[in-house]
Amino acid sequence: MTPETSAATEAPAAGFDVKTLSGSFGAEVRGLDLSNLDKDRFEQAYQLMVEHKVVVFRDQHFDLDSYEAFAGRWGRIHKHPFMRGMDSHPGILEIVKTETDRRAFGNAWHSDQMFNPKPAKFTMLYAREVPDRGGDTMFANMSAAYESLSDGMKTMLETLRGWNVGSREKLRAASTVPSNSRPPAGMQEEIPPEEQQTEASHPLVRTHQDSGDKTLYFGGHTMHIDGMTPTESAPILRYLQSVVTRPEFQCRVEWEVDSLTMWDNRCVQHYAIDDYAGQRRRMHRITIAGDEIPV
Ligand code: OGA
Ligand code: MN
């Protein structure tokens, strides 16, 4: 990070305002027009992401073309293997919950596309319609959770890998919870049953490519620990999940129309709160493909 960018992340320098969302992580930025970032400003925005892991940029004005163009600056736009993008803009997924829809997409703790050998780097959601109240998104800081563990636990985890699975049926079959309930966690809504091929092993502790920090790395797609049965893995994964989702390691984004929230899937889990029955919520989502195999 250059001295200039580090100064700019301390509000209210450099013409835009940064407010932290919790003691642990997350930031809200006002006064930065993402559609019009020169090279230095883009670098500052990237450093905001590395520093805060989740950033909600308020009052953004994109059309579909300029939104895709902005996203392309962060890396390759991920084409979801299972979900259809918009007809005119296949890189943009429209995430809609209508007044009559019963279930909300992403309503469980997860990190996006962990079942991919090179899992998603960033996801951005751009709010087009939001409920009068409710429909917030929660985030959990897996790096802070890792840091809080004992040296003994850290050492044990060092050698372990998670087996991550896209298939809802496989996750359910491996689950130790009753078959009529949902999988313990996961973005199962994202994956239609007919499209369930993708599986990948990733270290349970990975080193973040940009910050160099170690972070836990698992989520709702983690079916078991490599070399262990799901039954043997479940208590360990459940314990780690209880650490990750401690209130101390969470932050919460309250949406406004025209807010764009980005999060770093490499070190953050997220959860869409389904508390707005009878109301509409519509988001435009773009995911930035990962460019590394986690190590
Ligand atoms: C997602 C997701 C959360 C939300 O788009 O990957 O989980 O709050 N969305 O809509
Ligand atoms: Mn998600």
Side-chain angles (χ1 to χ4, degrees), residues 2-290:
T2 64
E4 287 79 9
T5 55
S6 99
T9 61
E10 284 157 26
F16 61 89
D17 195 62
V18 183
K19 188 170 148 255
T20 53
L21 290 176
S22 78
S24 177
F25 76 128
E28 176 186 53
V29 172
R30 287 186 189 271
L32 184 63
D33 178 2
L34 295 179
S35 70
N36 189 23
L37 296 178
D38 64 19
K39 205 164 161 292
D40 285 353
R41 276 295 163 100
F42 179 79
E43 182 56 27
Q44 288 177 4
Y46 196 99
Q47 291 306 330
L48 284 172
M49 286 306 304
V50 175
E51 184 177 349
H52 297 287
K53 302 178 174 64
V54 174
V55 180
V56 50
F57 298 95
R58 301 293 188 191
D59 306 318
Q60 300 302 318
H61 297 287
F62 288 113
D63 59 21
L64 297 175
D65 285 338
S66 58
Y67 182 36
E68 256 189 357
F70 165 72
R73 298 183 72 175
W74 295 82
R76 189 172 59 76
I77 293 180
H78 172 84
K79 297 274 162 49
H80 202 286
F82 314 129
M83 291 173 67
R84 280 232 353 235
M86 299 176 81
D87 286 339
S88 62
H89 294 77
I92 303 179
L93 298 178
E94 194 163 52
I95 310 282
V96 192
K97 184 169 184 277
T98 67
E99 293 85 340
T100 52
D101 282 339
R102 301 276 294 272
R103 286 174 71 165
F105 175 82
N107 177 227
W109 286 108
H110 66 281
S111 169
D112 290 336
Q113 274 102 63
M114 272 199 68
F115 50 86
N116 211 291
K118 288 184 181 176
K121 190 172 182 179
F122 300 115
T123 301
M124 50 185 89
L125 273 187
Y126 182 36
R128 310 318 300 133
E129 290 177 71
V130 300
D132 293 338
R133 58 194 167 84
D136 297 353
T137 306
M138 303 290 313
F139 296 91
N141 183 346
M142 291 193 281
S143 320
Y146 172 79
E147 279 311 319
S148 77
L149 298 173
S150 66
D151 289 345
M153 188 60 142
K154 284 178 178 161
T155 304
M156 184 188 88
L157 294 176
E158 209 62 62
T159 60
L160 300 182
R161 301 178 67 84
W163 184 251
N164 302 285
V165 171
S167 159
R168 183 173 168 168
E169 266 63 43
K170 280 194 185 179
L171 285 169
R172 186 174 291 133
S175 165
T176 53
V177 300
S179 60
N180 64 348
S181 69
R182 298 168 126 199
M187 53 179 183
Q188 60 273 23
E189 291 82 357
E190 293 186 12
I191 305 152
E194 65 274 14
E195 307 268 14
Q196 299 171 348
Q197 316 305 327
T198 320
E199 305 191 359
S201 161
H202 297 304
L204 274 186
V205 178
R206 75 182 283 191
T207 302
H208 193 282
Q209 194 181 4
D210 292 315
S211 67
D213 292 343
K214 285 191 175 179
T215 176
L216 288 171
Y217 189 60
F218 70 105
H221 287 286
T222 311
M223 186 164 97
H224 60 81
I225 295 170
D226 275 0
M228 296 187 197
T229 66
T231 311
E232 290 168 335
S233 312
I236 301 171
L237 293 174
R238 211 162 30 230
Y239 173 70
L240 293 176
Q241 186 64 19
S242 77
V243 176
V244 166
T245 55
R246 282 181 63 194
E248 284 81 353
F249 304 140
Q250 292 188 18
C251 73
R252 180 173 185 135
V253 168
E254 290 177 41
W255 291 96
E256 296 167 7
V257 172
D258 294 336
S259 291
L260 187 153
T261 300
M262 279 183 74
W263 62 86
D264 187 337
N265 286 297
R266 298 170 294 179
C267 54
V268 164
Q269 291 188 17
H270 57 284
Y271 181 113
I273 298 180
D274 186 8
D275 61 352
Y276 54 101
Q279 296 193 71
R280 250 180 98 77
R281 181 179 186 268
R282 185 166 62 92
M283 315 298 256
H284 283 169
R285 175 201 206 234
I286 298 181
T287 300
I288 305 304

